[in-house]
């Protein structure tokens, strides 16, 4: 995954070639494994280009329709919690609908009450993680790539990783699931 900071980009969302050029331009001149990865861009069958974004909605349901996962409370790829939020959200939605005896109005309201705090806690991770993941200058990118190339040889790397993972673990455990 390549991440880079920029002003809002104007590009054709259907023009994959243009997107690859934007990415290559952002990382042009970098060292380590970057030139090899950029060279492989042209052959990449599963290239995906997008912004890091979040979804903040006041309500996750209307009428007989409810949203779950990224459509309701996307925390952004920077949070590392998208799959967890989607799975937990689906479990809670199904459980609350069953507990409400199929009354969707009651079930949807209970789903939001149960999930809102968990979703918000995980959404906090996105902006915080972006500060460490998305470099704003070529120099910052170079320093980050150098550190990544050295990470396997650094003493205390387990402690460093545990410290990095601490907020994610806190957010991931910020809900107590009911046994529906």
């Amino acid at each position: 995954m390549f991440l880079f900071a920029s002003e809002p980009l104007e590009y054709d969302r259907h023009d994959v070639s243009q997107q690859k050029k934007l990415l290559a331009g952002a990382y042009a001149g970098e060292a380590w494994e970057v030139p090899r990865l950029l060279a492989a861009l042209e052959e990449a069958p599963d290239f995906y280009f997008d912004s890091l974004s979040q979804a903040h909605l006041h309500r996750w349901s209307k009428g007989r329709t409810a949203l779950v996962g990224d459509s309701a409370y996307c925390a952004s790829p920077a949070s590392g919690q998208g799959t967890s939020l989607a799975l937990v959200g689906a479990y809670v939605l199904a459980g609350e609908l069953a507990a409400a005896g199929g009354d969707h109005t009651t079930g949807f309201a209970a789903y939001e009450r149960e999930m809102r705090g968990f979703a918000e806690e995980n959404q906090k991770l996105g902006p915080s993680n972006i500060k460490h993941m998305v470099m704003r200058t070529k120099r910052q990118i170079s320093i980050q790539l150098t550190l990544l190339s050295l990470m396997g040889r650094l003493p205390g790397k387990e402690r460093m990783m545990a410290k990095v993972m601490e907020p994610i673990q806190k957010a991931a455990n910020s809900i107590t699931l009911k046994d529906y």
Side-chain angles (χ1 to χ4, degrees):
M1 175 170 35
F2 284 96
L3 301 171
F4 65 93
S6 73
E7 294 299 318
L9 298 173
E10 295 291 327
Y11 63 94
D12 180 351
R13 297 196 182 281
H14 298 95
D15 187 346
V16 175
S17 177
Q18 181 187 23
Q19 295 168 19
K20 288 178 180 180
K21 286 177 185 168
L22 286 168
L23 176 61
Y27 279 86
E30 293 303 328
W32 192 41
E33 295 290 331
V34 174
R36 183 180 64 80
L37 293 168
L38 291 177
L41 272 178
E42 289 311 311
E43 307 304 319
D46 55 355
F47 181 81
Y48 179 76
F49 188 87
D50 203 353
S51 65
L52 292 178
S53 304
Q54 290 188 328
H56 293 274
L57 303 177
H58 298 293
R59 292 180 46 206
W60 299 338
S61 64
K62 184 174 182 180
R64 297 187 58 81
T65 303
L67 301 175
V68 68
D70 283 354
S71 63
Y73 34 78
C74 177
S76 108
S79 74
Q81 291 298 96
T83 302
S84 297
L85 280 166
L87 291 171
V88 170
Y91 174 81
V92 171
L93 176 58
E96 293 300 338
L97 284 170
D103 175 358
H104 68 278
T105 303
T106 301
F108 290 168
Y111 157 65
E112 286 202 36
R113 275 193 310 277
E114 289 295 315
M115 279 295 294
R116 181 70 61 179
F118 179 63
E120 289 172 351
E121 199 62 37
N122 281 276
Q123 285 178 320
K124 290 177 191 174
L125 295 171
S128 170
N129 288 351
I130 286 172
K131 291 176 188 170
H132 304 291
M133 295 169 68
V134 180
M135 303 298 101
R136 301 202 174 276
T137 67
K138 291 276 191 187
R139 180 165 165 72
Q140 289 174 332
I141 291 170
S142 294
I143 291 169
Q144 184 184 51
L145 291 171
T146 300
L147 289 173
L148 285 171
S149 70
L150 297 172
M151 183 62 96
R153 296 176 282 199
L154 291 175
K157 64 182 174 224
E158 291 82 13
R159 270 193 324 273
M160 285 188 281
M161 286 308 296
K163 189 71 173 161
V164 167
M165 296 302 294
E166 194 175 287
I168 297 170
Q169 290 174 344
K170 180 182 177 244
N173 291 303
S174 66
I175 189 170
T176 302
L177 294 175
K178 295 178 183 178
D179 186 11
Y180 297 100

